[in-house]
Amino acid sequence: MKDMEVADVAGRPYREVVHRYFDGTTRRLLIVDEEVPFPEGKLIVSRTDTQAIITHGNQSFVDMSGFSQEEIIGQPHGILRHPDMPAAAFADVWATLGRGDTWQGYVKNLRKDGRYYWVFATAIPNIRDDKVVGFTSVRRKPSRTKVNECTALYAKLLAEEKKQ
Amino acid sequence: MTFNLTASPDFSPDHIAGWYVFNTWLQRKLDVRIHLELYDSFEAQRKAIEDEKIDLIYANPYDATMLVREKGFRAIAAPMGKGDEAIIAVLDEGPVKEIEDLKPGTRIAATDDPDVNMIGRIMLEPADLNANNVELKTVDSYAIVAKRLLRGEADVGFFLKEAYGNFSPVVRKQLRPLVTSQIHVIRHVLLVGPRFSPNYGEPLCHALMAMNTEAADKKVLDALGLPGWDKQTQEDTEFMIDLMDTLKF
């Protein structure tokens, strides 16, 4: 994944973070501490292949990501990962999907412009002819109470992960 | 042999005659006898499905999932550009300005339309409302949902967007949509059952796809309130089922 560039944040104040992914690769992120509200009445839908590469996204997915359709399709799903999300949360996503189960939770996502948006996500494996061929994730508007609870919980988990 | 056609009970009452016109067109095109049976409620229709009385059905995605998974049906077409959207509305002069103003104990009036109720439930989540902390009253029609709101017997009502749009201006003026879904990908589909599909599935599919190209056939579409049909592939159906699976949680 390409490092973020200063032009991406369009003049907004940012903090720079070098994020390390589970496969050992790193990416320079420019984080803008500004929330973009979830679009009222909409669902954000995307699909990935079994390697978590984005294969489809609806217009809300594209709009909220801040990327163009051409930019986002073919990227690893980790491009949306906000550094405030603990690794434990994502480990749980993949472990759950790997068992063929449905995963549900609250996620803070990173946009191309460094801002963020919270979602209530549900992800399921796509099974065709008894084989997992990919994953579908549908995000809906989260409750602010749950977002506040998760903000505190994720900060705690992240602090613990940093100690290790 | 006579096959049986039915349509999801949530279609607009303005198009009842259209389904009879469509059935006549269908029989001519396929040279086969088809009986149209329209049910008053989802419950009555599900009983007919359970009793294996249905061969062709215009179903909402909620029931389509069940028909494909459990009854061996195959979706062949979807109405062009027509998604199933829902509205949560309140009394216009009431104090609720946004979903987040709603509190536990909110009284909801709704029909038994499973799609609208599912979308409505999702749109209430930002207010921390769920089946355990609301009072849901199921009524027979969207007109009664509106009546309950107007009488102050419900705080919010769940409506199919199309049904809400069909209310008279007098009714609409007294109500206010709090939130309207813009999901686009949830839509009704036309499905063929295992008795009908082997001999008539493909000819029907071809006839439906050509329907908006001939003037006489267009009149049938007009009667149904549809601009045409989109082909529904197996993968389109699988995707829709995946999507419905994520939304049921």
Side-chain angles (χ1 to χ4, degrees), chain B residues 213-240:
Chain B
T213 59
E214 289 183 32
D217 293 351
K218 269 188 187 169
K219 282 186 185 162
V220 180
L221 284 170
D222 289 344
L224 288 172
L226 303 178
W229 297 94
D230 287 329
K231 189 171 182 174
Q232 181 85 0
T233 65
Q234 185 62 24
E235 183 51 33
D236 292 336
T237 305
E238 296 282 0
F239 176 55
M240 186 179 78

PDB file of all heavy atoms in Angstrom, chain B residues 213-240:
ATOM      1  N   THR B 213     -39.149  -3.565 -25.234  1.00  0.00           N
ATOM      2  CA  THR B 213     -38.767  -3.178 -26.600  1.00  0.00           C
ATOM      3  C   THR B 213     -39.971  -3.156 -27.541  1.00  0.00           C
ATOM      4  O   THR B 213     -39.879  -2.663 -28.655  1.00  0.00           O
ATOM      5  CB  THR B 213     -37.707  -4.148 -27.181  1.00  0.00           C
ATOM      6  OG1 THR B 213     -38.251  -5.464 -27.177  1.00  0.00           O
ATOM      7  CG2 THR B 213     -36.414  -4.113 -26.376  1.00  0.00           C
ATOM      8  N   GLU B 214     -41.096  -3.735 -27.096  1.00  0.00           N
ATOM      9  CA  GLU B 214     -42.275  -3.744 -27.968  1.00  0.00           C
ATOM     10  C   GLU B 214     -43.420  -2.970 -27.324  1.00  0.00           C
ATOM     11  O   GLU B 214     -43.674  -3.125 -26.116  1.00  0.00           O
ATOM     12  CB  GLU B 214     -42.713  -5.186 -28.233  1.00  0.00           C
ATOM     13  CG  GLU B 214     -41.730  -5.913 -29.147  1.00  0.00           C
ATOM     14  CD  GLU B 214     -42.177  -7.313 -29.468  1.00  0.00           C
ATOM     15  OE1 GLU B 214     -43.409  -7.520 -29.538  1.00  0.00           O
ATOM     16  OE2 GLU B 214     -41.318  -8.182 -29.626  1.00  0.00           O
ATOM     17  N   ALA B 215     -44.104  -2.183 -28.139  1.00  0.00           N
ATOM     18  CA  ALA B 215     -45.136  -1.280 -27.611  1.00  0.00           C
ATOM     19  C   ALA B 215     -46.211  -2.018 -26.816  1.00  0.00           C
ATOM     20  O   ALA B 215     -46.590  -1.588 -25.721  1.00  0.00           O
ATOM     21  CB  ALA B 215     -45.758  -0.506 -28.759  1.00  0.00           C
ATOM     22  N   ALA B 216     -46.676  -3.152 -27.340  1.00  0.00           N
ATOM     23  CA  ALA B 216     -47.761  -3.871 -26.659  1.00  0.00           C
ATOM     24  C   ALA B 216     -47.291  -4.401 -25.308  1.00  0.00           C
ATOM     25  O   ALA B 216     -48.024  -4.347 -24.309  1.00  0.00           O
ATOM     26  CB  ALA B 216     -48.239  -5.024 -27.544  1.00  0.00           C
ATOM     27  N   ASP B 217     -46.055  -4.904 -25.279  1.00  0.00           N
ATOM     28  CA  ASP B 217     -45.520  -5.444 -24.024  1.00  0.00           C
ATOM     29  C   ASP B 217     -45.264  -4.333 -23.010  1.00  0.00           C
ATOM     30  O   ASP B 217     -45.399  -4.526 -21.802  1.00  0.00           O
ATOM     31  CB  ASP B 217     -44.215  -6.201 -24.289  1.00  0.00           C
ATOM     32  CG  ASP B 217     -44.451  -7.465 -25.107  1.00  0.00           C
ATOM     33  OD1 ASP B 217     -45.630  -7.812 -25.306  1.00  0.00           O
ATOM     34  OD2 ASP B 217     -43.461  -8.089 -25.534  1.00  0.00           O
ATOM     35  N   LYS B 218     -44.895  -3.154 -23.542  1.00  0.00           N
ATOM     36  CA  LYS B 218     -44.644  -2.007 -22.652  1.00  0.00           C
ATOM     37  C   LYS B 218     -45.893  -1.632 -21.860  1.00  0.00           C
ATOM     38  O   LYS B 218     -45.815  -1.190 -20.723  1.00  0.00           O
ATOM     39  CB  LYS B 218     -44.170  -0.801 -23.463  1.00  0.00           C
ATOM     40  CG  LYS B 218     -42.661  -0.728 -23.598  1.00  0.00           C
ATOM     41  CD  LYS B 218     -42.283   0.599 -24.229  1.00  0.00           C
ATOM     42  CE  LYS B 218     -40.802   0.642 -24.528  1.00  0.00           C
ATOM     43  NZ  LYS B 218     -40.436   1.772 -25.347  1.00  0.00           N
ATOM     44  N   LYS B 219     -47.062  -1.814 -22.510  1.00  0.00           N
ATOM     45  CA  LYS B 219     -48.324  -1.497 -21.827  1.00  0.00           C
ATOM     46  C   LYS B 219     -48.514  -2.412 -20.618  1.00  0.00           C
ATOM     47  O   LYS B 219     -49.061  -2.015 -19.593  1.00  0.00           O
ATOM     48  CB  LYS B 219     -49.499  -1.652 -22.788  1.00  0.00           C
ATOM     49  CG  LYS B 219     -49.626  -0.476 -23.730  1.00  0.00           C
ATOM     50  CD  LYS B 219     -50.879  -0.590 -24.568  1.00  0.00           C
ATOM     51  CE  LYS B 219     -50.917   0.549 -25.587  1.00  0.00           C
ATOM     52  NZ  LYS B 219     -51.838   0.288 -26.668  1.00  0.00           N
ATOM     53  N   VAL B 220     -48.054  -3.662 -20.754  1.00  0.00           N
ATOM     54  CA  VAL B 220     -48.153  -4.614 -19.641  1.00  0.00           C
ATOM     55  C   VAL B 220     -47.239  -4.136 -18.505  1.00  0.00           C
ATOM     56  O   VAL B 220     -47.622  -4.144 -17.328  1.00  0.00           O
ATOM     57  CB  VAL B 220     -47.752  -6.041 -20.102  1.00  0.00           C
ATOM     58  CG1 VAL B 220     -47.848  -7.029 -18.951  1.00  0.00           C
ATOM     59  CG2 VAL B 220     -48.634  -6.492 -21.266  1.00  0.00           C
ATOM     60  N   LEU B 221     -46.044  -3.699 -18.881  1.00  0.00           N
ATOM     61  CA  LEU B 221     -45.121  -3.171 -17.866  1.00  0.00           C
ATOM     62  C   LEU B 221     -45.725  -1.950 -17.171  1.00  0.00           C
ATOM     63  O   LEU B 221     -45.631  -1.813 -15.947  1.00  0.00           O
ATOM     64  CB  LEU B 221     -43.787  -2.781 -18.520  1.00  0.00           C
ATOM     65  CG  LEU B 221     -42.840  -3.916 -18.887  1.00  0.00           C
ATOM     66  CD1 LEU B 221     -41.685  -3.372 -19.735  1.00  0.00           C
ATOM     67  CD2 LEU B 221     -42.285  -4.606 -17.641  1.00  0.00           C
ATOM     68  N   ASP B 222     -46.341  -1.069 -17.965  1.00  0.00           N
ATOM     69  CA  ASP B 222     -46.971   0.133 -17.388  1.00  0.00           C
ATOM     70  C   ASP B 222     -48.018  -0.264 -16.353  1.00  0.00           C
ATOM     71  O   ASP B 222     -48.138   0.359 -15.299  1.00  0.00           O
ATOM     72  CB  ASP B 222     -47.645   0.975 -18.483  1.00  0.00           C
ATOM     73  CG  ASP B 222     -46.621   1.667 -19.376  1.00  0.00           C
ATOM     74  OD1 ASP B 222     -45.440   1.736 -18.970  1.00  0.00           O
ATOM     75  OD2 ASP B 222     -46.998   2.122 -20.469  1.00  0.00           O
ATOM     76  N   ALA B 223     -48.774  -1.312 -16.690  1.00  0.00           N
ATOM     77  CA  ALA B 223     -49.825  -1.762 -15.768  1.00  0.00           C
ATOM     78  C   ALA B 223     -49.230  -2.246 -14.447  1.00  0.00           C
ATOM     79  O   ALA B 223     -49.857  -2.159 -13.387  1.00  0.00           O
ATOM     80  CB  ALA B 223     -50.647  -2.871 -16.425  1.00  0.00           C
ATOM     81  N   LEU B 224     -48.001  -2.760 -14.520  1.00  0.00           N
ATOM     82  CA  LEU B 224     -47.319  -3.229 -13.299  1.00  0.00           C
ATOM     83  C   LEU B 224     -46.553  -2.104 -12.601  1.00  0.00           C
ATOM     84  O   LEU B 224     -46.036  -2.283 -11.494  1.00  0.00           O
ATOM     85  CB  LEU B 224     -46.310  -4.337 -13.648  1.00  0.00           C
ATOM     86  CG  LEU B 224     -46.859  -5.698 -14.043  1.00  0.00           C
ATOM     87  CD1 LEU B 224     -45.719  -6.589 -14.532  1.00  0.00           C
ATOM     88  CD2 LEU B 224     -47.559  -6.358 -12.866  1.00  0.00           C
ATOM     89  N   GLY B 225     -46.434  -0.974 -13.293  1.00  0.00           N
ATOM     90  CA  GLY B 225     -45.671   0.145 -12.734  1.00  0.00           C
ATOM     91  C   GLY B 225     -44.175  -0.082 -12.819  1.00  0.00           C
ATOM     92  O   GLY B 225     -43.410   0.438 -11.997  1.00  0.00           O
ATOM     93  N   LEU B 226     -43.734  -0.863 -13.804  1.00  0.00           N
ATOM     94  CA  LEU B 226     -42.302  -1.164 -13.941  1.00  0.00           C
ATOM     95  C   LEU B 226     -41.786  -0.671 -15.295  1.00  0.00           C
ATOM     96  O   LEU B 226     -42.482  -0.788 -16.298  1.00  0.00           O
ATOM     97  CB  LEU B 226     -42.053  -2.677 -13.862  1.00  0.00           C
ATOM     98  CG  LEU B 226     -42.525  -3.422 -12.616  1.00  0.00           C
ATOM     99  CD1 LEU B 226     -42.232  -4.914 -12.763  1.00  0.00           C
ATOM    100  CD2 LEU B 226     -41.854  -2.881 -11.372  1.00  0.00           C
ATOM    101  N   PRO B 227     -40.536  -0.184 -15.350  1.00  0.00           N
ATOM    102  CA  PRO B 227     -39.982   0.236 -16.643  1.00  0.00           C
ATOM    103  C   PRO B 227     -39.424  -0.929 -17.462  1.00  0.00           C
ATOM    104  O   PRO B 227     -39.164  -0.793 -18.650  1.00  0.00           O
ATOM    105  CB  PRO B 227     -38.841   1.181 -16.236  1.00  0.00           C
ATOM    106  CG  PRO B 227     -38.452   0.772 -14.858  1.00  0.00           C
ATOM    107  CD  PRO B 227     -39.660   0.153 -14.223  1.00  0.00           C
ATOM    108  N   GLY B 228     -39.202  -2.054 -16.820  1.00  0.00           N
ATOM    109  CA  GLY B 228     -38.637  -3.220 -17.509  1.00  0.00           C
ATOM    110  C   GLY B 228     -38.038  -4.172 -16.478  1.00  0.00           C
ATOM    111  O   GLY B 228     -38.221  -3.992 -15.270  1.00  0.00           O
ATOM    112  N   TRP B 229     -37.351  -5.181 -16.985  1.00  0.00           N
ATOM    113  CA  TRP B 229     -36.737  -6.169 -16.096  1.00  0.00           C
ATOM    114  C   TRP B 229     -35.230  -6.237 -16.339  1.00  0.00           C
ATOM    115  O   TRP B 229     -34.783  -6.144 -17.489  1.00  0.00           O
ATOM    116  CB  TRP B 229     -37.315  -7.566 -16.374  1.00  0.00           C
ATOM    117  CG  TRP B 229     -38.783  -7.707 -16.104  1.00  0.00           C
ATOM    118  CD1 TRP B 229     -39.791  -7.569 -17.015  1.00  0.00           C
ATOM    119  CD2 TRP B 229     -39.420  -8.002 -14.856  1.00  0.00           C
ATOM    120  NE1 TRP B 229     -41.009  -7.769 -16.418  1.00  0.00           N
ATOM    121  CE2 TRP B 229     -40.818  -8.045 -15.090  1.00  0.00           C
ATOM    122  CE3 TRP B 229     -38.958  -8.249 -13.560  1.00  0.00           C
ATOM    123  CZ2 TRP B 229     -41.739  -8.306 -14.078  1.00  0.00           C
ATOM    124  CZ3 TRP B 229     -39.881  -8.524 -12.546  1.00  0.00           C
ATOM    125  CH2 TRP B 229     -41.253  -8.545 -12.812  1.00  0.00           C
ATOM    126  N   ASP B 230     -34.472  -6.411 -15.275  1.00  0.00           N
ATOM    127  CA  ASP B 230     -33.036  -6.698 -15.379  1.00  0.00           C
ATOM    128  C   ASP B 230     -32.859  -8.197 -15.204  1.00  0.00           C
ATOM    129  O   ASP B 230     -33.551  -8.813 -14.371  1.00  0.00           O
ATOM    130  CB  ASP B 230     -32.250  -6.012 -14.242  1.00  0.00           C
ATOM    131  CG  ASP B 230     -32.139  -4.508 -14.450  1.00  0.00           C
ATOM    132  OD1 ASP B 230     -32.112  -4.084 -15.618  1.00  0.00           O
ATOM    133  OD2 ASP B 230     -32.095  -3.786 -13.439  1.00  0.00           O
ATOM    134  N   LYS B 231     -31.919  -8.754 -15.957  1.00  0.00           N
ATOM    135  CA  LYS B 231     -31.640 -10.189 -15.787  1.00  0.00           C
ATOM    136  C   LYS B 231     -30.988 -10.416 -14.421  1.00  0.00           C
ATOM    137  O   LYS B 231     -30.133  -9.639 -13.996  1.00  0.00           O
ATOM    138  CB  LYS B 231     -30.715 -10.668 -16.902  1.00  0.00           C
ATOM    139  CG  LYS B 231     -30.579 -12.179 -16.907  1.00  0.00           C
ATOM    140  CD  LYS B 231     -29.849 -12.678 -18.132  1.00  0.00           C
ATOM    141  CE  LYS B 231     -29.805 -14.205 -18.054  1.00  0.00           C
ATOM    142  NZ  LYS B 231     -29.245 -14.792 -19.236  1.00  0.00           N
ATOM    143  N   GLN B 232     -31.420 -11.448 -13.754  1.00  0.00           N
ATOM    144  CA  GLN B 232     -30.853 -11.794 -12.449  1.00  0.00           C
ATOM    145  C   GLN B 232     -30.019 -13.060 -12.629  1.00  0.00           C
ATOM    146  O   GLN B 232     -30.564 -14.125 -12.916  1.00  0.00           O
ATOM    147  CB  GLN B 232     -32.006 -12.023 -11.454  1.00  0.00           C
ATOM    148  CG  GLN B 232     -31.589 -12.372 -10.050  1.00  0.00           C
ATOM    149  CD  GLN B 232     -31.284 -11.151  -9.194  1.00  0.00           C
ATOM    150  OE1 GLN B 232     -31.382 -10.026  -9.650  1.00  0.00           O
ATOM    151  NE2 GLN B 232     -30.891 -11.384  -7.955  1.00  0.00           N
ATOM    152  N   THR B 233     -28.703 -12.932 -12.493  1.00  0.00           N
ATOM    153  CA  THR B 233     -27.857 -14.118 -12.634  1.00  0.00           C
ATOM    154  C   THR B 233     -27.810 -14.871 -11.307  1.00  0.00           C
ATOM    155  O   THR B 233     -28.213 -14.337 -10.263  1.00  0.00           O
ATOM    156  CB  THR B 233     -26.414 -13.726 -13.011  1.00  0.00           C
ATOM    157  OG1 THR B 233     -25.849 -12.998 -11.912  1.00  0.00           O
ATOM    158  CG2 THR B 233     -26.369 -12.881 -14.276  1.00  0.00           C
ATOM    159  N   GLN B 234     -27.284 -16.078 -11.368  1.00  0.00           N
ATOM    160  CA  GLN B 234     -27.137 -16.874 -10.148  1.00  0.00           C
ATOM    161  C   GLN B 234     -26.268 -16.126  -9.131  1.00  0.00           C
ATOM    162  O   GLN B 234     -26.548 -16.093  -7.939  1.00  0.00           O
ATOM    163  CB  GLN B 234     -26.499 -18.224 -10.498  1.00  0.00           C
ATOM    164  CG  GLN B 234     -26.389 -19.194  -9.328  1.00  0.00           C
ATOM    165  CD  GLN B 234     -27.744 -19.590  -8.761  1.00  0.00           C
ATOM    166  OE1 GLN B 234     -28.765 -19.525  -9.448  1.00  0.00           O
ATOM    167  NE2 GLN B 234     -27.761 -19.971  -7.487  1.00  0.00           N
ATOM    168  N   GLU B 235     -25.194 -15.468  -9.637  1.00  0.00           N
ATOM    169  CA  GLU B 235     -24.305 -14.743  -8.734  1.00  0.00           C
ATOM    170  C   GLU B 235     -25.012 -13.519  -8.139  1.00  0.00           C
ATOM    171  O   GLU B 235     -24.800 -13.192  -6.966  1.00  0.00           O
ATOM    172  CB  GLU B 235     -23.010 -14.343  -9.461  1.00  0.00           C
ATOM    173  CG  GLU B 235     -21.980 -13.632  -8.591  1.00  0.00           C
ATOM    174  CD  GLU B 235     -21.629 -14.332  -7.267  1.00  0.00           C
ATOM    175  OE1 GLU B 235     -21.641 -15.577  -7.209  1.00  0.00           O
ATOM    176  OE2 GLU B 235     -21.372 -13.621  -6.271  1.00  0.00           O
ATOM    177  N   ASP B 236     -25.869 -12.848  -8.930  1.00  0.00           N
ATOM    178  CA  ASP B 236     -26.656 -11.723  -8.382  1.00  0.00           C
ATOM    179  C   ASP B 236     -27.489 -12.211  -7.203  1.00  0.00           C
ATOM    180  O   ASP B 236     -27.606 -11.534  -6.172  1.00  0.00           O
ATOM    181  CB  ASP B 236     -27.624 -11.156  -9.440  1.00  0.00           C
ATOM    182  CG  ASP B 236     -26.923 -10.465 -10.582  1.00  0.00           C
ATOM    183  OD1 ASP B 236     -25.784 -10.006 -10.393  1.00  0.00           O
ATOM    184  OD2 ASP B 236     -27.523 -10.391 -11.678  1.00  0.00           O
ATOM    185  N   THR B 237     -28.090 -13.388  -7.388  1.00  0.00           N
ATOM    186  CA  THR B 237     -28.936 -13.937  -6.323  1.00  0.00           C
ATOM    187  C   THR B 237     -28.100 -14.318  -5.106  1.00  0.00           C
ATOM    188  O   THR B 237     -28.478 -14.023  -3.971  1.00  0.00           O
ATOM    189  CB  THR B 237     -29.713 -15.173  -6.848  1.00  0.00           C
ATOM    190  OG1 THR B 237     -30.426 -14.776  -8.005  1.00  0.00           O
ATOM    191  CG2 THR B 237     -30.672 -15.704  -5.810  1.00  0.00           C
ATOM    192  N   GLU B 238     -26.971 -14.951  -5.352  1.00  0.00           N
ATOM    193  CA  GLU B 238     -26.094 -15.338  -4.231  1.00  0.00           C
ATOM    194  C   GLU B 238     -25.669 -14.092  -3.450  1.00  0.00           C
ATOM    195  O   GLU B 238     -25.633 -14.102  -2.220  1.00  0.00           O
ATOM    196  CB  GLU B 238     -24.835 -16.059  -4.743  1.00  0.00           C
ATOM    197  CG  GLU B 238     -25.103 -17.385  -5.432  1.00  0.00           C
ATOM    198  CD  GLU B 238     -25.386 -18.518  -4.465  1.00  0.00           C
ATOM    199  OE1 GLU B 238     -25.383 -18.279  -3.250  1.00  0.00           O
ATOM    200  OE2 GLU B 238     -25.640 -19.635  -4.939  1.00  0.00           O
ATOM    201  N   PHE B 239     -25.341 -13.021  -4.190  1.00  0.00           N
ATOM    202  CA  PHE B 239     -24.923 -11.783  -3.539  1.00  0.00           C
ATOM    203  C   PHE B 239     -26.057 -11.207  -2.702  1.00  0.00           C
ATOM    204  O   PHE B 239     -25.865 -10.768  -1.566  1.00  0.00           O
ATOM    205  CB  PHE B 239     -24.442 -10.771  -4.585  1.00  0.00           C
ATOM    206  CG  PHE B 239     -24.077  -9.437  -3.992  1.00  0.00           C
ATOM    207  CD1 PHE B 239     -23.144  -9.347  -2.966  1.00  0.00           C
ATOM    208  CD2 PHE B 239     -24.663  -8.269  -4.448  1.00  0.00           C
ATOM    209  CE1 PHE B 239     -22.797  -8.119  -2.403  1.00  0.00           C
ATOM    210  CE2 PHE B 239     -24.324  -7.038  -3.893  1.00  0.00           C
ATOM    211  CZ  PHE B 239     -23.396  -6.969  -2.879  1.00  0.00           C
ATOM    212  N   MET B 240     -27.259 -11.235  -3.274  1.00  0.00           N
ATOM    213  CA  MET B 240     -28.417 -10.711  -2.538  1.00  0.00           C
ATOM    214  C   MET B 240     -28.647 -11.515  -1.261  1.00  0.00           C
ATOM    215  O   MET B 240     -28.920 -10.956  -0.196  1.00  0.00           O
ATOM    216  CB  MET B 240     -29.667 -10.764  -3.420  1.00  0.00           C
ATOM    217  CG  MET B 240     -30.873 -10.113  -2.797  1.00  0.00           C
ATOM    218  SD  MET B 240     -32.289 -10.179  -3.888  1.00  0.00           S
ATOM    219  CE  MET B 240     -32.816 -11.865  -3.656  1.00  0.00           C
TER     220      MET B 240
END
